[in-house]
Amino acid sequence: MQEIKSIEALIEIIKKREISNHAFHSLDLTEVEEIINGIEFKECLFLGCTFPEGFLLKIQKDNYIFPHLDVPFNAYPSKMYTKETLYNGYDRSKPETYNQTLDKIIYDYYMKHGKETTNIKESLARRLHDHSITDALYDFLENYNERNIVAIMGGHGLSRKAENYRKVALISKRLTEKGYLMISGGGPGAMEATHVGAWFAGKDEEQLIEAIEQLGVAPKYNDPKWLPTAFAILEQYPDSAYFSLGIPTWHYGHEPPTPFATHIAKYFANSVREEGLLAVAKGGVVFAPGSAGTIQEVFQDIAQNHYESCGYASPMVFLDKEYWSYDRPIFPIIELMKHRENLENLDLG
């Protein structure tokens, strides 16, 4: 089924007298009322579209109509988010303006109705939203060789002043410059460092180091200046020639998404988000120090590689030998598993 996500794309196919097996995403069809009145639609999906008067009666017999839902988000987004759409109206000189942004409005609504809501309208709206975000995500990834997509996983609590924050940013910068698309969970800490590095790809390394020092004024995401300092750096360096992809979730909505990611696939369902993040990182994963969430991702990735769920195993690289060998002795366990189970294709970095 061909998907149509813009009026321009609709006009391209409008020359046909009959349109079948197409899915139309969030289109205002009143803009092309005169053109579509003479067209016959069959077996099409209309997802959250706005219809000209009388047009709905004409098409509802042979097509599938998914109406607008009374929620403060688009249940059928045709593209991913950006810092401009999630942080719309945010003014870093007035941090309280974050409360009126789309990101905060959706999070407050999400919490009001419960993370695990039993309300069928709410759960359906979330699932439709997440399905559409996944669809937009894969549309974007079609532009990349799948083996050039690399994730960096790590703790949200990593301080901007920490040495590993700087290391993650430098790794991301250099990989981005080599043609890799860097992705992360899209939040603070090691995740933010991933996108800061990608944002500074192509720029002088000294500029990146200076920016990290400025960010260090607000070391962690619970500092009131965390978001204002990020936007201050983006004002200082407003352009980037490279993309990066953040995949956060409103499940952890108290952790604001990093505005340094150029593309943001934000989900309601954390399970869908985590599985999808590892599934698309076919170029490998760098694991920076982290707590329970990161450790869970390590073993998810091991299972994915062991069963070659994506068709082949991808590299796993562990940043900070001391941490992964002694503080969180995961690496010795993995080596033992590799030895006992003969995971020949598992590249442990």
Side-chain angles (χ1 to χ4, degrees), residues 50-331:
T50 301
F51 301 100
E53 186 176 352
F55 186 76
L56 185 58
L57 290 174
K58 174 185 173 182
I59 63 170
Q60 63 183 5
K61 178 182 177 182
D62 298 317
N63 301 281
Y64 305 93
I65 315 299
F66 290 75
H68 291 283
L69 296 173
D70 185 23
V71 291
F73 56 89
N74 184 356
Y76 320 100
S78 59
K79 53 188 176 182
M80 291 185 286
Y81 298 102
T82 63
K83 67 179 185 296
E84 288 79 14
T85 55
L86 280 182
Y87 287 115
N88 57 321
Y90 176 72
D91 182 346
R92 71 176 180 86
S93 67
K94 300 176 181 178
E96 67 276 9
T97 55
Y98 171 64
N99 294 321
Q100 281 75 55
T101 64
L102 179 64
D103 186 62
K104 186 62 162 62
I105 289 171
I106 294 176
Y107 176 61
D108 289 344
Y109 183 85
Y110 173 65
M111 295 301 293
K112 177 182 176 182
H113 290 273
K115 290 184 176 183
E116 303 297 333
T117 181
T118 57
N119 182 299
I120 189 169
K121 184 199 79 173
E122 301 301 332
S123 59
L124 180 61
R126 294 177 188 181
R127 282 158 179 75
L128 288 168
H129 169 277
D130 286 0
H131 176 274
S132 294
I133 286 293
T134 297
D135 189 52
L137 170 65
Y138 278 94
D139 283 348
F140 172 68
L141 293 179
E142 285 181 359
N143 299 308
Y144 293 88
N145 181 323
E146 63 181 22
R147 291 183 183 265
N148 284 351
I149 302 172
V150 174
I152 296 183
M153 307 293 196
H156 65 267
L158 180 65
S159 171
R160 288 167 164 174
K161 291 184 175 182
E163 177 65 15
N164 278 332
Y165 186 100
R166 185 183 68 85
K167 286 181 179 179
V168 168
L170 287 170
I171 290 169
S172 181
K173 179 181 189 297
R174 292 165 187 171
L175 287 175
T176 300
E177 290 168 345
K178 289 181 179 293
Y180 290 91
L181 173 70
M182 302 305 297
I183 68 175
S184 84
M191 296 173 282
E192 179 192 52
T194 302
H195 300 287
V196 170
W199 188 266
F200 278 83
K203 298 180 177 65
D204 291 340
E205 190 170 295
E206 290 76 14
Q207 292 177 305
L208 171 60
I209 299 303
E210 182 182 340
I212 292 174
E213 289 177 357
Q214 293 178 47
L215 290 170
V217 172
K220 296 191 176 183
Y221 73 91
N222 53 5
D223 189 304
K225 293 182 180 179
W226 185 85
L227 195 57
T229 54
F231 273 87
I233 295 298
L234 288 167
E235 287 178 15
Q236 188 176 349
Y237 300 96
D239 300 309
S240 177
Y242 298 86
F243 293 151
S244 69
L245 171 64
I247 309 181
T249 171
W250 280 291
H251 185 80
Y252 298 127
H254 61 288
E255 302 174 9
T258 174
F260 287 101
T262 61
H263 295 71
I264 304 172
K266 192 158 189 178
Y267 285 89
F268 288 103
N270 186 49
S271 57
V272 175
R273 168 251 193 175
E274 285 195 342
E275 183 177 346
L277 209 167
L278 288 168
V280 301
K282 295 181 179 179
V285 180
V286 177
F287 292 98
S291 191
T294 306
I295 292 171
Q296 176 183 329
E297 290 159 349
V298 169
F299 285 101
Q300 280 182 265
D301 202 25
I302 290 173
Q304 180 173 291
N305 280 331
H306 176 65
Y307 294 108
E308 296 189 347
S309 305
C310 298
Y312 50 85
S314 301
M316 299 175 69
V317 178
F318 292 84
L319 176 65
D320 195 330
K321 183 176 181 179
E322 184 78 15
Y323 183 88
W324 291 111
S325 297
Y326 301 103
D327 295 347
R328 298 289 188 276
I330 301 302
F331 192 78

Side-chain angles (χ1 to χ4, degrees), residues 2 4 9-22 24 35-42 44 58:
Q2 184 176 350
I4 304 299
L10 172 60
I11 292 173
E12 283 293 315
I13 64 165
I14 216 75
K15 60 188 75 170
K16 302 177 182 177
R17 302 308 299 171
E18 178 183 302
I19 298 175
S20 61
N21 289 301
H22 283 68
F24 302 93
I35 302 176
I36 63 174
N37 274 335
I39 304 298
E40 186 174 1
F41 293 86
K42 288 186 176 181
C44 291
K58 174 185 173 182

